[in-house]
Amino acid sequence: MTSRRLISSGSAFEKVGGYSRAVTQDDWCWVSGTTGYDYAKMEMPESLEAQTRNAMNTITKALNEAGFHLQDVVRATYYVTEASMMDAVFPIVGEYFAEVRPAATMIVCGLVKPEMKIEIEVTAKRKA
């Protein structure tokens, strides 16, 4: 029997958009695309660095609530609005994933709101 669980960050966007911050099933956890929104202050910081850290902290919190850890991440996808952002993003995500080293992709694209500079999604598999 499989066990499916929905994890919420409490964001109003989740209810309106009909999605969960994360979904777990058995030993897998999928974390939705996560922007740099600061839920404590209810604002989007201007700097790419602050947005990247906020996104990673929100992801970490969702994983932990689901019973997973950053060390369980096997795939990460980074969406940025400019290719040059790689130079600022890589050292920050590298702090979180230095020992984990998941398979990763960075995509340059537009995001849904102009103040958004980065969105990150991850997939995790609980280690045996």
Side-chain angles (χ1 to χ4, degrees), residues 16-93:
V16 171
Y19 72 95
S20 297
R21 171 63 44 218
V23 176
T24 67
Q25 188 156 340
D26 302 323
D27 290 334
W28 290 93
C29 182
W30 297 269
V31 180
S32 292
T34 304
T35 64
Y37 198 75
D38 182 336
Y39 292 104
K41 295 180 181 178
M42 298 306 286
E43 66 184 25
M44 179 70 75
E46 190 169 322
S47 83
L48 172 63
E49 293 81 3
Q51 287 189 26
T52 303
R53 289 186 191 289
N54 285 350
M56 288 302 300
N57 290 338
T58 299
I59 288 167
T60 301
K61 184 177 177 191
L63 287 168
N64 291 340
E65 186 176 335
F68 290 77
H69 305 282
L70 276 179
Q71 294 78 9
D72 296 321
V73 173
V74 295
R75 184 85 172 114
T77 305
Y78 310 106
Y79 302 90
V80 294
T81 57
E82 296 177 27
S84 62
M85 293 176 168
M86 176 188 82
D87 294 332
V89 171
F90 274 179
I92 295 170
V93 297

Side-chain angles (χ1 to χ4, degrees), residues 5 7 13 25 54 57 66 72 86 98 104 107 123 125-126:
R5 184 170 164 218
I7 305 298
F13 303 123
Q25 188 156 340
N54 285 350
N57 290 338
D72 296 321
M86 176 188 82
I107 299 169
T123 301
K125 183 169 190 318
R126 190 176 289 116

